[in-house]
Amino acid sequence: MKKVAEFFVEYFQFLDKDSKVVDDLPEFTNDRGFLISLYRSMVLTRIFDEKAVRMQRMGQLSTFPSSLGQEAVMVGTGAALKKEDVYCPYYRDQGVLFRHGVTPKELFIYWSGDERGSAFSGAREDFPIAVPIATQSLHATGVASAFKIRKQPRVVITMCGEGGTSEGDFYEAINLAGAWNLPVVFIVNNNQWAISVSREAQTKCETIAQKAISAGFKGIQVDGNDIIAVYDKVSQAVENARNGGGPQLIEAITYRLSDHTTADDASRYCPKDNLDKAWDEEPVERFKKYLEDYHDFNESEDLAIKDECSKEVDQAAIDMLNFEKPNAESMFDHLYENFPEALLVQYEELIAMNKEGGK
């Protein structure tokens, strides 16, 4: 017998659960303003989620997926994107999208059931939110292939939950990304639950990161509640991909502190002890304490950020509620250059019904 290959998975963390520094910090942590901007984005994401859940309960939004407890994964990833890069989101990615120029108003419009919310004003080439599981992985690989063919120094990032890595779409995407050495970074938000199925029940793999090995590229783990680790490693992966180094998979280990969506009741399957422990290690307070201990962040600054974010989110909700509703025939827009005959008949019938109803 001879050994023909050997692999290992690295784990990265800079802040422990008590916000103590446990490794040499990256250079960007000397930039207090940048760190405060990360914290603000985390706070904005959490306040947006809280508002969205309340609005859904009031019938103002459709089913909504909170990212409570996962803000460091989202914001750290979004901050690593340059303006010219493209993001292919899944349904829990509001923190990434905010960092890349999408507005709270646009996401409120989308989650109200109006697809015009997907026409992002500040991130025109980012893909619409993908609700089907892991299909966005294939979209990202396709976009990255286009960048390579065009010889553009641009990168694609996409994210899914750990449950999404069990889908064939995910494996097909990483296999092609590895075979073609594409400029794409796969983030796995390992929040421990694929709806009600635990991480342990989903796979026998010791890590999710090692799934990258089957595709021929590197997979690493980061502490997903440590935004410094998330931003540092995602940034490195993005720049490596931009310079021809190919894809990478980053498994961010965190915990979902909310129901899977507003249509779920996680108390039926999530052990209370696990949830209580996860609250003790959640990312927003961890990062806030780090800022207080190492960057003289004070309560007045914190209150000002929370007040500013609350006002921004409240105004976005008002703007969404006052947004002109689409007419019924708009469902036919952007489907075909020339209508098929059967669809044209339906379209004309709808126009006639609307005219009759308006009399």
Side-chain angles (χ1 to χ4, degrees):
M1 187 277 286
K2 65 177 181 180
K3 184 182 293 184
V4 296
E6 189 172 27
F7 308 96
F8 63 91
V9 173
E10 299 170 296
Y11 174 83
F12 296 94
Q13 179 190 59
F14 293 103
L15 305 180
D16 67 14
K17 66 182 182 63
D18 299 313
S19 305
K20 302 300 182 186
V21 175
V22 295
D23 201 350
D24 294 337
L25 289 170
E27 183 67 25
F28 70 81
T29 58
N30 294 322
D31 185 344
R32 186 179 188 273
F34 176 67
L35 296 180
I36 298 299
S37 80
L38 293 178
Y39 178 70
R40 186 194 185 280
S41 295
M42 294 171 75
V43 170
L44 177 66
T45 302
R46 181 161 292 190
I47 290 174
F48 176 87
D49 279 9
E50 292 169 349
K51 181 76 170 181
V53 171
R54 291 196 300 271
M55 293 175 71
Q56 191 279 330
R57 300 307 190 206
M58 296 168 64
Q60 296 170 335
L61 297 181
S62 57
T63 301
F64 177 77
S66 172
S67 62
L68 183 65
Q70 300 146 82
E71 294 88 356
V73 180
M74 308 302 172
V75 173
T77 296
L81 285 160
K82 290 186 176 179
K83 186 175 179 58
E84 65 268 24
D85 296 332
V86 167
Y87 189 66
C88 294
Y90 84 130
Y91 45 79
R92 208 180 299 279
D93 280 347
Q94 37 269 26
V96 187
L97 294 169
F98 290 155
R99 273 311 285 206
H100 206 215
V102 178
T103 68
K105 175 187 174 181
E106 288 165 343
L107 289 192
F108 277 141
I109 290 171
Y110 171 80
W111 288 112
S112 74
D114 189 335
E115 285 291 347
R116 290 177 297 173
S118 297
F120 305 138
S121 58
R124 294 295 297 166
E125 294 188 296
D126 281 2
F127 272 44
I129 292 167
V131 175
I133 306 301
T135 56
Q136 70 277 7
S137 303
L138 288 169
H139 302 157
T141 301
V143 175
S145 178
F147 289 165
K148 187 169 184 178
I149 291 168
R150 296 171 181 171
K151 295 181 171 54
Q152 295 175 320
R154 303 170 70 188
V155 178
V156 189
I157 299 183
T158 189
M159 190 181 299
C160 66
E162 80 287 346
T165 68
S166 297
E167 292 284 337
D169 301 56
F170 177 81
Y171 282 101
E172 293 161 12
I174 65 172
N175 183 66
L176 189 61
W180 289 1
N181 198 47
L182 297 177
V184 55
V185 179
F186 299 92
I187 311 297
V188 178
N189 174 22
N190 182 357
N191 63 24
Q192 310 304 317
W193 295 99
I195 307 182
S196 58
V197 181
S198 69
R199 155 72 176 84
E200 292 75 17
Q202 293 171 49
T203 178
K204 284 291 286 185
C205 284
E206 189 173 356
T207 70
I208 301 296
Q210 72 196 63
K211 295 189 177 189
I213 296 168
S214 68
F217 57 88
K218 186 176 183 180
I220 66 170
Q221 285 186 336
V222 298
D223 180 347
N225 288 340
D226 174 3
I227 193 169
I228 294 176
V230 174
Y231 173 72
D232 183 59
K233 297 310 170 188
V234 176
S235 294
Q236 289 176 17
V238 165
E239 293 314 306
N240 178 68
R242 195 184 310 280
N243 293 310
Q248 188 175 138
L249 188 157
I250 299 175
E251 176 190 0
I253 301 173
T254 182
Y255 201 90
R256 198 187 77 215
L257 297 177
S258 64
D259 297 330
H260 181 262
T261 69
T262 49
D264 176 43
D265 178 6
S267 67
R268 295 179 299 166
Y269 55 82
C270 178
K272 187 177 183 305
D273 290 347
N274 290 10
L275 191 61
D276 291 343
K277 181 177 182 294
W279 270 109
D280 290 338
E281 301 176 6
E282 64 94 0
V284 177
E285 284 301 312
R286 182 190 292 194
F287 192 46
K288 175 186 171 184
K289 190 172 188 306
Y290 161 76
L291 292 173
E292 291 171 342
D293 292 346
Y294 294 89
H295 292 277
D296 298 320
F297 188 65
N298 58 57
E299 185 178 2
S300 63
E301 288 180 285
D302 186 39
L303 291 174
I305 287 171
K306 289 175 178 173
D307 181 62
E308 184 181 77
C309 289
S310 294
K311 289 177 179 176
E312 180 179 346
V313 170
D314 286 345
Q315 186 59 54
I318 292 170
D319 291 343
M320 182 278 288
L321 292 170
N322 292 329
F323 193 59
E324 183 180 358
K325 297 296 184 283
N327 55 49
E329 56 266 28
S330 67
M331 73 175 79
F332 292 90
D333 294 344
H334 313 298
L335 291 175
Y336 298 94
E337 181 178 1
N338 298 303
F339 279 137
E341 184 63 32
L343 197 61
L344 180 60
V345 171
Q346 294 177 35
Y347 178 73
E348 291 174 345
E349 287 177 351
L350 181 60
I351 296 293
M353 287 170 58
N354 287 343
K355 287 181 177 179
E356 186 176 329
K359 290 181 179 179

